[in-house]
Amino acid sequence: MESQELTPRERLLASARKEFLARGFQNGSLRRICAGAGMTTGAVYFFFENKEDLFCSLVRETAEQMEQMMEEMTEWELERPETGVDSDVRLMEFLYFHREEVLLLHECARGTRYEGFMEEMYDRMRSAFLVFFQKYGAEDADRELIRILAEMRIRANLELLKGDYSMEQAMDLTRQIGIYADGGFRSLTAAMRKEKENREEK
Amino acid sequence: MESQELTPRERLLASARKEFLARGFQNGSLRRICAGAGMTTGAVYFFFENKEDLFCSLVRETAEQMEQMMEEMTEWELERPETGVDSDVRLMEFLYFHREEVLLLHECARGTRYEGFMEEMYDRMRSAFLVFFQKYGAEDADRELIRILAEMRIRANLELLKGDYSMEQAMDLTRQIGIYADGGFRSLTAAMRKEKENREEK
Amino acid sequence: MESQELTPRERLLASARKEFLARGFQNGSLRRICAGAGMTTGAVYFFFENKEDLFCSLVRETAEQMEQMMEEMTEWELERPETGVDSDVRLMEFLYFHREEVLLLHECARGTRYEGFMEEMYDRMRSAFLVFFQKYGAEDADRELIRILAEMRIRANLELLKGDYSMEQAMDLTRQIGIYADGGFRSLTAAMRKEKENREEK
Amino acid sequence: MESQELTPRERLLASARKEFLARGFQNGSLRRICAGAGMTTGAVYFFFENKEDLFCSLVRETAEQMEQMMEEMTEWELERPETGVDSDVRLMEFLYFHREEVLLLHECARGTRYEGFMEEMYDRMRSAFLVFFQKYGAEDADRELIRILAEMRIRANLELLKGDYSMEQAMDLTRQIGIYADGGFRSLTAAMRKEKENREEK
DNA sequence: AATGAATGAGGTTTCATTCAT
DNA sequence: TATGAATGAAACCTCATTCAT
């Protein structure tokens, strides 16, 4: 075994993670964080610049990896869109591995520089979605519709994260959501094509 | 036109709605609200009991109507599940009509007595979903899966609300989401049935 | 029956009496008083100059009568000190008749111009006590001792007031307290005389 | 002399004691307390949890000792009631030694968890009184009468505390009050016995 | 490496009071 | 007569932050 004892910095981070997850960045209290780490309030400022820096230290790495991953996945998807479901599973694995940090970014970052980070991620996913749609379905699909469908899928996966599932369960559910989404997609493109024909007949 | 001028109470409510929408209940500041309504801080307490009462006054009516509507819809759906899509549209019309109040209930109510209100609404929708699933598809569908799919659909509609669409656009998108969801549902039940057969063959 | 309906002014006074008795002058709230009288806050200022004036209107008359009574009693006692017990009973009757006003003066007047009123009354009673002592007992009795014994007796009677006794009960207890006090007085003067003799023998 | 300088915490306590003694807990102002200790308002919350905790820190120890003492004295008195006067003196010494804290408990604790503390102490003293009465005098004495006589004696001693006496003076006065009270007690029991006989003759 | 002390701004709430109507 | 509206000061409390040690 490596070391049961956490360094003070680690204790601080752990306590902060808990507090921010429970109350968000703005409503999280440094006092409570420090108390939870067995320190006095001032101690934070030895390890971190300020409250925001403490928060960022929790999510920075995860955010960077996520950004990079998203970049890779966007490229792939542009080249070989049929990998969509695999990507989904891979993404989900990542999210699950960094569960708490992702939740911090997703729901607790208001007031920090990561406030808009997830929204940005969602935008990229939406872009990939758009490409996919245009290539395999309805070239003239409403951009807003796509935005929303993308959002739906992302949110579904994040909801999964909030629940208390085992990795296996989560993956299983992810796959089923994938099936659902694909079916939904086909239905929608079919409907759109039919509508288009109707319009053209006139 | 009768009167452009709002009563002080109305100014207060308007300012509060803005503040709470922007920052949520807990982080919304009475000082800013009052300043925004052109008053000093103490003035709130002439019109409202306290901060929470101010918030509740914004959403109370909408919440009550929503509760009632949900009750009606649950009954209908139990009797004639095929009305699902119509219900969706009707619900969406309601949400759209009470756009800001619904958003307050959905995202800004933490710390008030309406904190769990939307979750309760979601629960009812999920129950309706479950009935639908069991009747028309997979009797043995994972409850968690259903929970998540229901969540997806609800969230999608709420995302719509956050966007800046016209009523028409919103309705159109709602319908398309309905098509998507139905297709997804059929795909999923089909997959589940097949899987079941496979298992039985063994 | 004259009139069930109280005038607004009377309702105000009644509500104020209740509030001040329960919380004292300083902690009593005009808002609550007005609410209790079925009015809005500003209304007080039509009937009274300010919070203190409202309080004073409750006790003024009683205070004046009490002052006068005290004057009379001091005179009598100077002339015919043997009337002590009768005075006590008469005083007690007065206190009982003006029960609530006396309690207001006694315990709830801090912050008003009647803040020191009761103390003044006590001083007069103490003076009367002193005269009595000097005439019938120990000319050289410690003034402080007398102050305290007087205080004891007065307080006992006021405690009686706070309790929830019927007039009869109260009078009965007053008499018994009188017996107790007289006996105490005789014991004390006897002891003092003996001590004096001892000192003189030396 | 080691150190004239008080620690900030001590300055705060001293200032609080003064303020609470002068105005009571509820009307005492943290602002004034802090100003009196040469600090800003927020500083209290470094040393104490809140206003009540500050108050309690002033009286906690004294209250505990007093409770213990009372327990001991009640036991003694049950076994050997003739020790009454000694108990009185001992109690008085204690009260005098903790003068300001006792006054805080007695007159300034409304609104704190010590609000009913002294009343509880009085109840114990009254119980002791009752036992004494039943054993040595009038078995059928009115409980209310006893309550009041006990109150008288206690109050007398506390009045003593409020005055500005030296310890010696205070002890001397306590003893004289004891003589007074004993004499009063004898008078009263004698009167009660006689009355009883009268009733029985009929 | 961390504490103990303190600040100053801001939070919500309560209050007595005023005043036009 | 009395209301409805509003003020402004003060209340207790919490917070992020600073800094000497």
Side-chain angles (χ1 to χ4, degrees):
Chain A
M1 196 185 301
E2 316 112 77
S3 97
Q4 217 106 271
E5 317 240 326
L6 295 161
T7 67
R9 194 174 186 278
E10 287 166 340
R11 268 185 293 141
L12 217 36
L13 284 168
S15 180
R17 182 161 32 231
K18 216 167 125 190
E19 173 80 0
F20 288 142
L21 276 172
R23 311 194 201 228
F25 172 73
Q26 287 190 116
N27 282 64
S29 151
L30 278 188
R31 268 203 202 171
R32 269 192 301 262
I33 289 172
C34 288
M39 295 170 199
T40 48
T41 323
V44 185
Y45 293 86
F46 177 76
F47 298 105
F48 306 95
E49 275 180 26
N50 51 31
K51 195 187 181 185
E52 193 184 355
D53 186 34
L54 170 56
F55 181 90
C56 293
S57 297
L58 284 168
V59 298
R60 190 175 298 122
E61 214 180 338
T62 297
E64 278 165 14
Q65 289 175 21
M66 201 168 166
E67 212 155 11
Q68 198 190 323
M69 191 185 191
M70 214 54 78
E71 218 139 312
E72 287 170 23
M73 281 173 58
T74 319
E75 278 174 34
W76 293 354
E77 208 132 348
L78 280 174
E79 293 166 19
R80 310 167 57 216
E82 70 279 9
T83 54
V85 177
D86 289 347
S87 286
D88 233 41
V89 170
R90 195 191 150 205
L91 177 61
M92 199 58 204
E93 271 170 2
F94 176 85
L95 296 184
Y96 225 80
F97 199 69
H98 303 272
R99 194 175 166 274
E100 297 197 312
E101 285 73 24
V102 170
L103 286 176
L104 283 173
L105 284 165
H106 178 54
E107 292 202 300
C108 311
R110 198 192 277 198
T112 75
R113 93 175 57 124
Y114 285 104
E115 170 148 12
F117 177 82
M118 281 309 246
E119 212 50 46
E120 233 177 88
M121 295 296 105
Y122 299 162
D123 260 344
R124 297 206 187 169
M125 298 196 211
R126 278 182 223 119
S127 300
F129 239 76
L130 195 59
V131 170
F132 186 72
F133 251 70
Q134 287 173 336
K135 201 157 192 176
Y136 287 81
E139 313 88 58
D140 53 353
D142 188 331
R143 283 181 152 265
E144 285 307 327
L145 179 63
I146 291 165
R147 196 186 77 84
I148 285 157
L149 296 179
E151 193 94 16
M152 267 175 87
R153 191 147 173 191
I154 297 158
R155 291 257 178 200
N157 286 339
L158 283 165
E159 278 317 307
L160 226 53
L161 221 57
K162 278 205 263 181
D164 214 22
Y165 308 113
S166 74
M167 180 77 149
E168 268 179 42
Q169 264 185 299
M171 289 309 138
D172 205 44
L173 289 167
T174 304
R175 259 184 299 269
Q176 293 188 287
I177 290 171
I179 295 169
Y180 179 92
D182 284 346
F185 166 69
R186 275 195 306 273
S187 259
L188 197 53
T189 48
M192 286 167 82
R193 236 175 279 128
K194 195 185 275 178
E195 206 181 317
K196 202 182 171 189
E197 283 163 19
N198 283 348
R199 256 180 292 140
E200 280 167 358
E201 272 175 23
K202 287 187 208 155
Chain B
M1 196 181 302
E2 319 110 80
S3 97
Q4 216 109 269
E5 316 237 330
L6 295 161
T7 68
R9 194 173 187 276
E10 286 165 342
R11 270 186 292 141
L12 215 37
L13 284 169
S15 180
R17 182 158 35 227
K18 213 167 126 192
E19 172 80 1
F20 289 143
L21 275 172
R23 312 195 199 229
F25 172 73
Q26 289 190 116
N27 283 71
S29 151
L30 280 186
R31 278 206 193 158
R32 267 193 302 263
I33 289 171
C34 288
M39 298 169 193
T40 50
T41 320
V44 186
Y45 294 87
F46 177 74
F47 299 102
F48 306 96
E49 276 183 25
N50 52 31
K51 194 186 181 186
E52 192 183 357
D53 185 35
L54 171 55
F55 181 91
C56 293
S57 296
L58 285 168
V59 299
R60 189 174 300 120
E61 213 181 338
T62 297
E64 278 166 15
Q65 291 175 20
M66 200 169 168
E67 210 153 13
Q68 198 191 323
M69 189 184 193
M70 210 57 76
E71 218 137 312
E72 287 170 24
M73 281 173 58
T74 319
E75 278 174 35
W76 292 353
E77 208 130 350
L78 282 174
E79 293 166 20
R80 311 167 55 216
E82 69 279 10
T83 55
V85 178
D86 289 347
S87 284
D88 235 39
V89 170
R90 193 189 152 206
L91 177 62
M92 199 59 204
E93 271 170 4
F94 176 85
L95 297 184
Y96 223 80
F97 199 71
H98 304 272
R99 195 176 164 273
E100 297 197 310
E101 285 71 24
V102 170
L103 287 175
L104 282 172
L105 284 165
H106 178 53
E107 292 201 299
C108 310
R110 198 193 278 197
T112 75
R113 93 173 59 122
Y114 285 105
E115 170 148 13
F117 178 81
M118 281 308 245
E119 211 52 47
E120 229 179 274
M121 295 296 105
Y122 299 162
D123 260 344
R124 297 205 188 170
M125 299 196 211
R126 276 182 223 121
S127 300
F129 240 76
L130 193 61
V131 170
F132 186 72
F133 253 68
Q134 288 172 334
K135 201 158 193 177
Y136 286 82
E139 316 86 59
D140 51 354
D142 188 331
R143 283 180 152 265
E144 285 305 325
L145 180 63
I146 290 164
R147 196 186 75 86
I148 286 158
L149 295 179
E151 193 95 17
M152 267 176 85
R153 191 149 175 191
I154 297 159
R155 291 256 178 201
N157 286 339
L158 283 165
E159 280 315 309
L160 224 54
L161 222 57
K162 279 205 263 182
D164 213 21
Y165 308 113
S166 75
M167 179 77 149
E168 270 180 41
Q169 263 186 299
M171 287 309 136
D172 206 44
L173 289 168
T174 303
R175 261 185 297 269
Q176 292 189 288
I177 290 170
I179 295 170
Y180 179 92
D182 284 346
F185 166 68
R186 275 194 306 273
S187 261
L188 197 53
T189 48
M192 287 168 82
R193 236 174 281 127
K194 196 186 275 178
E195 206 182 315
K196 200 179 173 189
E197 282 163 21
N198 285 347
R199 258 182 290 141
E200 280 168 357
E201 273 175 24
K202 286 185 212 157
Chain C
M1 197 183 302
E2 318 109 80
S3 101
Q4 216 106 272
E5 317 240 326
L6 295 161
T7 67
R9 193 172 187 278
E10 285 166 341
R11 269 186 292 140
L12 216 37
L13 284 168
S15 181
R17 182 162 31 232
K18 214 166 128 191
E19 173 80 1
F20 289 141
L21 275 172
R23 311 194 201 228
F25 172 74
Q26 288 190 115
N27 282 66
S29 151
L30 278 188
R31 268 203 201 173
R32 268 191 302 263
I33 289 171
C34 290
M39 295 170 196
T40 49
T41 324
V44 184
Y45 293 86
F46 176 75
F47 299 103
F48 305 96
E49 277 181 25
N50 52 30
K51 195 187 181 186
E52 193 184 355
D53 185 35
L54 171 56
F55 181 90
C56 293
S57 298
L58 283 168
V59 299
R60 189 174 300 123
E61 213 180 340
T62 297
E64 278 165 15
Q65 290 175 20
M66 201 168 166
E67 212 153 9
Q68 198 190 323
M69 189 185 193
M70 212 55 76
E71 218 138 313
E72 287 169 23
M73 281 173 59
T74 321
E75 278 174 35
W76 293 353
E77 208 131 350
L78 281 173
E79 293 166 20
R80 310 164 58 216
E82 69 280 9
T83 54
V85 178
D86 290 346
S87 286
D88 233 40
V89 169
R90 193 190 153 204
L91 176 62
M92 199 58 205
E93 271 171 3
F94 177 84
L95 297 183
Y96 224 80
F97 199 70
H98 303 271
R99 196 176 163 273
E100 297 197 312
E101 286 72 24
V102 170
L103 287 175
L104 282 173
L105 284 165
H106 177 53
E107 292 201 300
C108 311
R110 197 191 278 199
T112 75
R113 92 174 57 122
Y114 285 103
E115 169 148 13
F117 177 81
M118 280 310 246
E119 211 52 46
E120 232 178 272
M121 294 298 105
Y122 299 162
D123 260 345
R124 297 203 187 173
M125 298 197 211
R126 276 181 223 120
S127 300
F129 240 75
L130 193 59
V131 169
F132 186 71
F133 253 69
Q134 288 173 333
K135 203 157 191 175
Y136 287 82
E139 316 85 59
D140 51 354
D142 189 330
R143 284 181 150 263
E144 287 306 327
L145 179 63
I146 291 165
R147 196 186 77 85
I148 286 158
L149 295 180
E151 192 96 16
M152 268 175 86
R153 190 146 173 192
I154 298 160
R155 291 256 178 201
N157 285 339
L158 283 165
E159 279 316 307
L160 225 53
L161 222 57
K162 279 205 263 181
D164 213 22
Y165 308 112
S166 75
M167 180 78 148
E168 268 181 42
Q169 264 185 300
M171 287 309 137
D172 205 42
L173 289 168
T174 304
R175 260 184 297 271
Q176 293 189 287
I177 290 170
I179 294 170
Y180 179 92
D182 285 346
F185 166 68
R186 275 194 306 273
S187 258
L188 197 52
T189 47
M192 285 167 83
R193 237 175 279 129
K194 196 185 276 177
E195 207 180 317
K196 202 181 172 190
E197 283 164 20
N198 285 347
R199 257 181 291 141
E200 281 167 358
E201 273 176 24
K202 287 187 211 155
Chain D
M1 196 183 300
E2 318 113 79
S3 96
Q4 217 109 269
E5 318 238 329
L6 295 161
T7 67
R9 193 173 187 277
E10 287 165 341
R11 268 186 293 141
L12 216 37
L13 284 168
S15 180
R17 181 157 38 229
K18 214 167 124 190
E19 173 80 2
F20 288 142
L21 276 171
R23 312 194 199 229
F25 172 73
Q26 288 190 118
N27 283 70
S29 150
L30 279 186
R31 275 201 196 168
R32 269 192 301 263
I33 289 171
C34 288
M39 297 168 193
T40 49
T41 320
V44 186
Y45 295 87
F46 177 73
F47 299 102
F48 306 96
E49 277 182 24
N50 51 32
K51 196 188 181 186
E52 192 183 357
D53 185 35
L54 171 55
F55 181 91
C56 293
S57 296
L58 284 169
V59 299
R60 188 174 300 122
E61 214 181 336
T62 297
E64 278 165 15
Q65 290 175 19
M66 199 169 167
E67 209 153 13
Q68 199 190 323
M69 191 183 190
M70 211 57 76
E71 216 136 314
E72 287 170 24
M73 282 173 56
T74 319
E75 278 173 35
W76 292 354
E77 208 131 349
L78 282 174
E79 294 166 19
R80 311 166 57 216
E82 69 279 11
T83 55
V85 178
D86 289 346
S87 285
D88 235 39
V89 171
R90 193 189 152 206
L91 176 62
M92 200 57 205
E93 270 171 4
F94 176 85
L95 296 183
Y96 224 79
F97 200 70
H98 304 272
R99 196 176 164 274
E100 297 198 309
E101 286 71 25
V102 170
L103 287 175
L104 282 173
L105 284 165
H106 178 53
E107 292 201 299
C108 311
R110 197 192 280 197
T112 75
R113 96 173 56 123
Y114 285 105
E115 170 147 13
F117 178 80
M118 280 309 243
E119 210 51 47
E120 229 178 274
M121 294 298 104
Y122 299 162
D123 260 344
R124 297 203 189 171
M125 298 195 212
R126 276 182 223 121
S127 300
F129 239 75
L130 194 60
V131 169
F132 186 72
F133 253 69
Q134 288 173 333
K135 203 158 191 173
Y136 287 82
E139 316 85 61
D140 52 353
D142 188 331
R143 282 180 154 264
E144 286 305 326
L145 179 64
I146 290 165
R147 196 185 76 85
I148 286 158
L149 296 180
E151 194 94 16
M152 268 175 86
R153 190 148 176 190
I154 297 159
R155 291 256 178 201
N157 285 339
L158 283 164
E159 279 317 307
L160 222 54
L161 223 56
K162 279 206 262 182
D164 214 24
Y165 308 112
S166 75
M167 179 78 146
E168 267 179 45
Q169 263 185 299
M171 287 310 137
D172 205 44
L173 289 168
T174 303
R175 257 184 300 269
Q176 292 188 287
I177 291 170
I179 294 169
Y180 179 93
D182 284 346
F185 165 69
R186 274 195 307 272
S187 263
L188 197 52
T189 47
M192 287 167 82
R193 235 174 281 129
K194 195 186 276 177
E195 206 181 316
K196 201 181 173 189
E197 282 163 22
N198 285 348
R199 256 180 292 142
E200 280 167 359
E201 272 176 24
K202 288 188 213 157

